[in-house]
Amino acid sequence: MEKVQSVRGTYDLFGDAKRKMKKVIATGESVVEKYGFEEIETPIFEFTEVFARNLGDTSDIVTKEMYCFEDKGGESLTLRPEGTAGVVRAFVANGMQQNLPVKFYYHGPMFRYERPQKGRQRQFTQFGVELLGVETPQADIEVIAMAYEFLQKLGLSGQITVEINSLGDAESRDTYREKLVAYLTQHIDELSEDSKNRLTRNPLRILDSKEDCDKTVIANAPRYADSLNENSRQFFAAVLKGLDLLDIKYRVNDRLVRGLDYYSHTVFELTTDKLGAQGTVLAGGRYNGLVAQMGGGDVAGIGWACGVERLSMLLQEDTALPRPIAVIPVGEDTQETALQIAHQLRLAGFSVEQSYSGNMKKRLMKANKVNAAQAVILGSDEVATNTATLKDLDSGEQKTVALADLIKELQA
Ligand code: ATP
Ligand code: MG
């Protein structure tokens, strides 16, 4: 019979890959909880409009990547492609505006119909944060510092670049859009088909294009920085000053615009050169208009999300489990004692592997295979005198210990 296949771009996670992902998430949690962020879990699917209306109808996600389906009641639903829209929807739906600021983190699967390749999957995992209700640059500085500390704790800060830019407020954005459209219109014949369409609908998005022909045109486009008004310039300067104070190295990249409509002021990406084209491991920005757009009033927001798989791929060190103790009964009549000893050791906090079958040699081989550090060997004579043989599996040394002293011996 033909083997059952998994869906293209999806993966089964186990062993080292799964352990590394758990480590990334646990590290993220421990860092962001110090900054007062609490976990939120929103549904994996939402009404399609939660994403379609808010991410921007010319964004890659909305135009090409969403998994939309109609449920049996005829509702159009979408598997979430990212976390922010769902968290903001939850914020508004639960009336959380009363108690600002609100700080949430989340992690879980996201779904995008993309061309699968290294570091690019159709189901992948994000860990992200959202800080709602703080308008000042302190929030931008704090969430970037938090992202940086997170990657530092994973041992990755040496290979990460922080890229940052400002999109300014609405007025600056309008000024820039006008200049950009004027420039791009002169070069319209050189643009890709997608970008020609974007020119009237959302020209800023063209700066984010990955097409070579677009990149050539973009290289000489007007600079965003020249269109920022005084307010936006001051805001950005304050963010950069804060990063300097915290000794966080960054590179201002004035081509960085991010692919979604809801960003304003600060946008940033943490990138590595170790993952080829999929080098962005963490990305985020400020989204001051998003809450209002979802009917929640004038509440500022800023956040970021990282690709947990991409970060896991950068982790070098072995994430092996703690070494267990092997409990090995020799002969039928010692099985019950072995069962009890294994239970007591686990209650005392040890990780224990019981060996279930085979002769002594086979059982010791299995103990080595699970990387046990020590074996508690229970023969009939020993059980009769309430003792066991404790064998160090690295050195081969062994000694007889009273069962009553076993835990003390193992703790030593
Ligand atoms: P890219 O430019 O690589 O497509 P993006 O701008 O679409 O990234 P975001 O929406 O900002 O990505 O998502 C935040 C992070 O989630 C990315 O920096 C990346 O690490 C991760 N990510 C995004 N899409 C995928 C995917 N298809 N597979 C694995 N990780 C992903
Ligand atoms: Mg993408």
Side-chain angles (χ1 to χ4, degrees):
M1 216 164 60
E2 212 180 306
K3 269 198 198 147
V4 190
Q5 304 279 321
S6 61
V7 176
R8 199 163 120 81
T10 68
Y11 297 89
D12 303 308
L13 283 165
F14 54 91
D16 193 51
K18 180 68 191 180
R19 284 197 294 273
K20 284 188 166 143
M21 288 188 49
K22 280 179 79 165
K23 181 177 170 175
V24 169
I25 290 167
T27 306
E29 288 179 331
S30 75
V31 169
V32 306
E33 282 178 358
K34 286 191 306 172
Y35 292 75
F37 283 68
E38 262 201 279
E39 185 165 3
I40 184 169
E41 193 169 327
T42 63
I44 282 174
F45 51 83
E46 300 269 358
F47 289 121
T48 296
E49 61 172 29
V50 169
F51 307 110
R53 279 220 323 249
N54 296 302
L55 308 191
D57 58 3
T58 58
S59 65
D60 279 352
I61 291 184
V62 173
T63 53
K64 302 179 201 153
E65 299 174 0
M66 294 208 302
Y67 277 95
C68 306
F69 60 98
E70 199 174 283
D71 75 0
K72 293 199 164 56
E75 302 279 13
S76 176
L77 305 180
T78 293
L79 298 181
R80 64 182 183 194
E82 57 97 61
T84 303
V87 172
V88 172
R89 198 269 311 134
F91 172 87
V92 175
N94 292 283
M96 297 186 204
Q97 298 91 329
Q98 304 313 316
N99 202 5
L100 298 172
V102 164
K103 305 177 190 181
F104 281 130
Y105 72 84
Y106 61 83
H107 56 87
M110 306 293 161
F111 305 84
R112 295 184 192 177
Y113 189 79
E114 306 202 60
R115 194 165 70 76
Q117 50 196 296
K118 187 183 172 209
R120 195 173 290 287
Q121 305 165 204
R122 290 184 174 173
Q123 177 176 336
F124 62 101
T125 312
Q126 281 186 342
F127 177 93
V129 300
E130 312 296 348
L131 167 51
L132 292 141
V134 184
E135 282 171 22
T136 58
Q138 276 71 29
D140 309 53
I141 299 162
E142 204 167 76
V143 298
I144 294 172
M146 200 161 71
Y148 196 76
E149 183 188 341
F150 169 38
L151 300 196
Q152 222 164 15
K153 291 265 152 67
L154 287 172
L156 301 174
S157 51
Q159 46 180 293
I160 296 288
T161 309
V162 179
E163 302 209 27
I164 189 166
N165 192 24
S166 171
L167 307 180
D169 56 13
E171 186 190 70
S172 307
R173 212 166 152 142
D174 289 344
T175 313
Y176 183 66
R177 188 182 294 117
E178 241 169 72
K179 284 194 207 165
L180 183 67
V181 169
Y183 168 80
L184 291 174
T185 306
Q186 290 169 2
H187 296 272
I188 190 155
D189 296 335
E190 300 154 52
L191 294 174
S192 68
E193 282 311 307
D194 272 353
S195 289
K196 281 181 189 142
N197 289 330
R198 292 176 184 131
L199 189 52
T200 43
R201 298 177 64 197
N202 196 340
L204 288 186
R205 178 76 23 72
I206 298 174
L207 296 179
D208 207 35
S209 168
K210 286 166 185 130
E211 301 283 342
D212 285 335
C213 57
D214 292 335
K215 283 185 183 164
T216 314
V217 178
I218 294 162
N220 297 314
R223 291 158 47 87
Y224 217 120
D226 300 330
S227 297
L228 294 184
N229 60 18
E230 188 54 26
N231 166 45
S232 302
R233 253 205 303 274
Q234 275 178 14
F235 191 97
F236 192 38
V239 173
L240 298 184
K241 183 168 177 226
L243 297 179
D244 289 335
L245 282 172
L246 302 183
D247 215 15
I248 293 169
K249 303 275 175 291
Y250 55 83
R251 190 171 77 86
V252 176
N253 171 359
D254 75 355
R255 298 292 173 227
L256 185 66
V257 291
R258 308 282 307 126
L260 304 177
D261 268 3
Y262 52 55
Y263 288 113
S264 55
H265 287 291
T266 318
V267 290
F268 54 92
E269 288 190 357
L270 275 58
T271 60
T272 171
D273 53 13
K274 302 259 167 13
L275 292 173
Q278 273 59 252
T280 305
V281 289
L282 185 150
R286 186 169 266 286
Y287 47 85
N288 286 353
L290 184 58
V291 177
Q293 204 174 306
M294 290 206 206
D298 186 19
V299 178
I302 182 164
W304 51 254
C306 70
V308 176
E309 286 85 356
R310 288 189 195 176
L311 283 173
S312 306
M313 286 190 283
L314 294 172
L315 297 186
Q316 299 290 337
E317 76 206 68
D318 190 12
T319 52
L321 299 166
R323 299 179 71 184
I325 293 162
V327 173
I328 304 180
V330 187
E332 279 300 314
D333 55 340
T334 63
Q335 296 277 7
E336 287 178 358
T337 310
L339 184 67
Q340 287 175 310
I341 298 281
H343 189 60
Q344 283 163 13
L345 292 181
R346 286 179 180 135
L347 291 181
F350 292 101
S351 148
V352 175
E353 286 287 334
Q354 282 202 78
S355 67
Y356 300 106
S357 63
N359 59 23
M360 183 66 186
K361 192 172 155 221
K362 271 219 174 107
R363 290 185 192 218
L364 275 173
M365 269 165 55
K366 273 187 201 149
N368 276 321
K369 212 177 141 203
V370 296
N371 196 27
Q374 308 193 73
V376 176
I377 301 165
L378 295 157
S380 308
D381 296 348
E382 286 154 321
V383 167
T385 55
N386 283 322
T387 58
T389 300
L390 186 57
K391 185 177 168 91
D392 184 310
L393 295 173
D394 292 333
S395 67
E397 264 172 53
Q398 56 182 57
K399 60 182 167 187
T400 304
V401 295
L403 289 182
D405 295 336
L406 191 57
I407 289 176
K408 214 166 55 199
E409 278 292 328
L410 287 166
Q411 278 164 345

